[in-house]
């Protein structure tokens, strides 16, 4: 453990403050927003394609609303290392070299990301970094990369690795930490891609800045519902410097209705996942672009005061705490710098009204009323007293609200909004 973490842990212990050990090395305090090549292009990538997408990130206004990273995924490498064992970019597709590419990206104002693997080979069969961790970390830094996505394919046999999943990822984490110390350069952001194996949400924060919690996303409702359901049980793992990564934002590739696409983006943004666009931006439609550019949701994803995810307070269709990969929790809330955020997901295949009592959320004060801001219509929708009903939420659709304290509620209401263990001071009016 680095000295500052030991100090932090010891101080927290003395003060009785619970502490989550994070890789708080100064980078990736907030979710990373940007672009990744995998979903739209898989292995068909080259330097010009990456730069074309980067230029579109700029010209379409995505960079301006906060998407400041551009990441290569798998298949950038030559199949062979050099004689001295260093990684080599594909000579044809990246003929100008990686310094040229990152130089261009940096000149456009982007951070640059690269992809590697913790085993012998990447998932697509290119060289992995096992037993080359320090050398490859150095190479990535020399090439000018700011971010590393690190995959989980082709794990060495047990009698070679003699480590579990934590140790396997710790190897590169240590290499990156060491490199930052010796080079005195900004640490490379470390993104674990191991699909949620070995309960990564319990230990990922001490190894990296984000960790995939589920397998690869597909552009359909079932995939979204299943990822949201899984992540609904581990929201507490997300905070500043470390977060559940629900995989890329899979919009604009067909397969989702407009309402499902909004639900996808809302859940990822409010659950504070990294938001990495995986769309061919040359063919993006205005509706998808509009979703990606919802600045009110992006502001909550990038909240610099409240780092936590929204969490379910009621499952709705299912009894609370039910795991159902086709019908996740419906009623969610969380704190934000500017009020309490609510997310309502209509998991049904038909429109429905969605009702909640305000104090079902732990972030709401009893006896107060709240102004309601709709984060999709971008309108102020009056004042909520005691409860709120969203009318006719579309099939698989979403409602995202920001509730701000608007003072004491009107007088003359029933003593308690929720009669659970409510009592008058002398005990005469007791209910619940
Ligand atoms: C998978 C990973 C994908 C993509 C792919 C590349 O393991 O989950 O996001 O990186 O490998 O081969």
């Amino acid at each position: 453990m680095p000295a500052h973490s030991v100090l932090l842990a010891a101080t927290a212990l003395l003060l009785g403050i619970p502490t989550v050990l994070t890789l708080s090395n100064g980078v990736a305090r907030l979710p990373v927003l940007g672009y990744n090549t995998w979903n739209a292009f898989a292995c068909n990538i080259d330097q010009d394609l990456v730069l074309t997408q980067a230029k579109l990130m700029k010209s379409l206004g995505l960079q301006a609303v906060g998407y400041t990273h551009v990441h290569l995924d798998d298949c950038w490498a030559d199949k062979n290392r050099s004689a001295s064992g260093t990684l080599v970019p594909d000579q044809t597709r990246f003929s100008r070299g990686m310094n040229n590419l990152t130089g261009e990206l940096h000149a456009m104002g982007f951070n640059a990301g690269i992809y590697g693997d913790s085993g012998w080979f990447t998932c697509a069969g290119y060289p992995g970094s096992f037993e080359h961790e320090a050398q490859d970390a150095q190479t990535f830094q020399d090439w000018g990369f700011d971010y590393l996505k690190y995959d989980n394919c082709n794990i060495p046999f047990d009698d070679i690795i003699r480590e579990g999943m934590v140790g396997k990822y710790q190897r590169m984490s240590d290499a990156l930490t060491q490199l930052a110390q010796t080079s005195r350069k900004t640490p490379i952001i470390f993104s674990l891609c191991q699909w949620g194996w070995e309960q990564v949400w319990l230990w990922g924060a001490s190894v990296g800045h984000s960790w995939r919690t589920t397998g690869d996303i597909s552009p359909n409702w079932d995939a979204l519902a299943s990822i949201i359901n899984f992540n609904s049980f581990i929201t507490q793992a997300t905070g500043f410097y470390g977060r559940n990564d629900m995989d890329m934002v899979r919009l604009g590739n067909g397969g989702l209705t407009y309402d499902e696409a909004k639900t996808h983006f809302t859940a990822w943004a409010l659950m504070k996942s990294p938001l990495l666009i995986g769309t061919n931006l040359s063919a993006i439609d205005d509706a998808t672009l509009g979703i990606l550019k919802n600045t009110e949701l992006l502001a909550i994803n990038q909240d610099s005061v409240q780092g936590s995810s929204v969490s379910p307070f009621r499952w709705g269709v299912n009894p609370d705490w039910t795991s159902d990969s086709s019908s996740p929790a419906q009623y969610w809330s969380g704190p934000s710098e500017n009020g309490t955020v609510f997310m309502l997901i209509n998991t049904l295949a038909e429109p429905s009204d969605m009702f909640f009592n305000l104090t079902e959320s732990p972030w709401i004060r009893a006896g107060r009323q709240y102004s309601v801001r709709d984060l999709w219509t971008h309108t102020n929708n009056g004042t909520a007293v005691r409860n709120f009903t969203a009318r006719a939420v579309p099939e698989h659709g979403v409602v995202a609200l920001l509730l701000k304290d608007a003072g004491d509620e009107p007088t003359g209401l029933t003593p308690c909004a929720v009669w659970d263990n409510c009592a008058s001071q002398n005990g005469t009016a007791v209910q619940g």
Side-chain angles (χ1 to χ4, degrees):
M1 200 189 292
H4 67 274
S5 302
V6 177
L7 196 65
L8 186 79
T11 314
L13 209 66
L14 281 174
L15 298 175
I17 304 167
T19 172
V20 180
L21 280 186
T22 56
L23 196 61
S24 46
N25 55 6
V27 291
R29 182 168 185 265
L30 300 173
V32 167
L33 266 49
Y35 187 82
N36 175 290
T37 54
W38 182 254
N39 281 340
F41 302 106
C43 283
N44 305 314
I45 53 167
D46 62 38
Q47 54 208 356
D48 294 327
L49 178 141
V50 175
L51 290 174
T52 300
Q53 295 300 314
K55 283 178 192 144
L56 286 162
M57 291 285 285
K58 244 181 145 58
S59 62
L60 295 170
L62 290 162
Q63 185 188 44
V65 296
Y67 296 93
T68 53
H69 279 245
V70 173
H71 297 167
L72 298 179
D73 209 280
D74 206 349
C75 308
W76 57 265
D78 195 283
K79 287 263 162 113
N80 298 304
R81 288 174 178 269
S82 75
S84 58
T86 52
L87 289 165
V88 181
D90 183 284
Q91 312 276 317
T92 315
R93 291 184 290 111
F94 292 90
S95 58
R96 296 192 293 272
M98 289 305 188
N99 287 100
N100 178 282
L101 182 63
T102 61
E104 297 249 17
L105 291 173
H106 290 154
M108 280 190 258
F110 290 109
N111 293 306
I114 196 158
Y115 164 98
D117 191 280
S118 55
W120 296 122
F121 302 99
T122 71
C123 300
Y126 294 85
S129 293
F130 183 68
E131 290 180 339
H132 284 277
E133 286 86 357
Q135 184 179 24
D136 292 354
Q138 182 75 56
T139 302
F140 297 144
Q141 187 183 69
D142 291 347
W143 285 346
F145 285 103
D146 311 287
Y147 172 107
L148 172 64
K149 170 177 174 179
Y150 207 49
D151 219 330
N152 191 34
C153 280
N154 301 298
I155 303 169
F157 292 158
D158 295 13
D159 64 345
I160 295 172
I161 194 160
R162 307 233 186 250
E163 293 277 12
M165 186 63 79
V166 187
K168 182 167 68 82
Y169 273 88
Q170 191 73 51
R171 295 168 67 99
M172 184 52 98
S173 180
D174 290 346
L176 295 173
T177 301
Q178 182 80 39
L179 179 65
Q181 280 163 4
T182 52
S183 69
R184 294 175 186 273
K185 289 193 173 159
T186 308
I188 291 176
I189 297 172
F190 191 36
S191 166
L192 280 53
C193 178
Q194 48 80 277
W195 325 302
W197 288 13
E198 278 84 12
Q199 297 177 288
V200 63
W201 51 93
L202 298 180
W203 52 269
S206 59
V207 178
H209 300 102
S210 63
W211 46 88
R212 281 276 297 279
T213 51
T214 39
D216 288 9
I217 186 171
S218 307
N220 58 60
W221 172 255
D222 289 350
L224 300 185
S226 150
I227 293 174
I228 294 168
N229 173 62
F230 192 91
N231 281 277
S232 71
F233 296 96
I234 53 171
T235 56
Q236 290 160 85
T238 285
F240 291 132
Y241 296 108
R243 62 202 60 263
N244 296 331
D245 174 354
M246 297 162 72
D247 201 10
M248 288 169 274
V249 178
R250 196 99 209 235
L251 296 183
N253 305 301
L256 295 176
T257 66
Y258 180 61
D259 286 307
E260 290 167 347
K262 281 168 63 183
T263 302
H264 176 10
F265 187 74
T266 307
W268 267 237
L270 299 183
M271 293 168 82
K272 306 274 172 88
S273 177
L275 300 174
L276 294 171
I277 300 167
T279 310
N280 178 358
L281 296 177
S282 315
I284 195 167
D285 58 276
D286 286 347
T288 304
L289 201 54
I291 292 174
L292 293 170
K293 288 165 79 171
N294 183 329
T295 49
E296 293 196 78
L297 289 179
L298 289 170
I300 294 169
N301 178 270
Q302 296 291 298
D303 191 326
S304 63
V305 176
Q306 292 285 355
S308 47
S309 162
V310 289
S311 298
F313 60 84
R314 177 154 48 88
W315 266 243
V317 174
N318 280 313
D320 288 350
W321 302 106
T322 303
S323 178
D324 180 343
S325 48
S326 54
S327 184
Q330 296 189 299
Y331 295 87
W332 305 59
S333 75
S336 90
E337 181 183 6
N338 297 312
T340 304
V341 188
F342 284 83
M343 174 169 79
L344 315 177
I345 303 176
N346 180 12
T347 56
L348 303 174
E350 59 191 359
S352 72
D353 291 352
M354 300 187 72
F355 166 94
F356 61 93
N357 287 305
L358 303 190
T359 51
E360 286 185 82
S361 162
W363 314 110
I364 289 288
R365 291 171 62 185
R368 306 285 282 183
Q369 59 187 357
Y370 286 80
S371 67
V372 179
R373 173 81 181 167
D374 186 314
L375 304 177
W376 276 111
T377 59
H378 309 295
T379 51
N380 297 323
N381 290 4
T383 307
V385 179
R386 297 275 170 109
N387 54 51
F388 185 85
T389 304
R391 301 269 171 217
V393 183
E395 162 183 3
H396 299 167
V398 75
V399 172
L401 306 169
L402 185 61
L403 267 65
K404 284 191 205 188
D405 191 309
D408 284 346
E409 65 184 16
T411 51
L413 300 172
T414 55
C416 301
V418 179
W419 282 103
D420 182 30
N421 261 299
C422 232
S424 65
Q425 197 172 1
N426 66 11
T428 51
V430 181
Q431 295 218 25

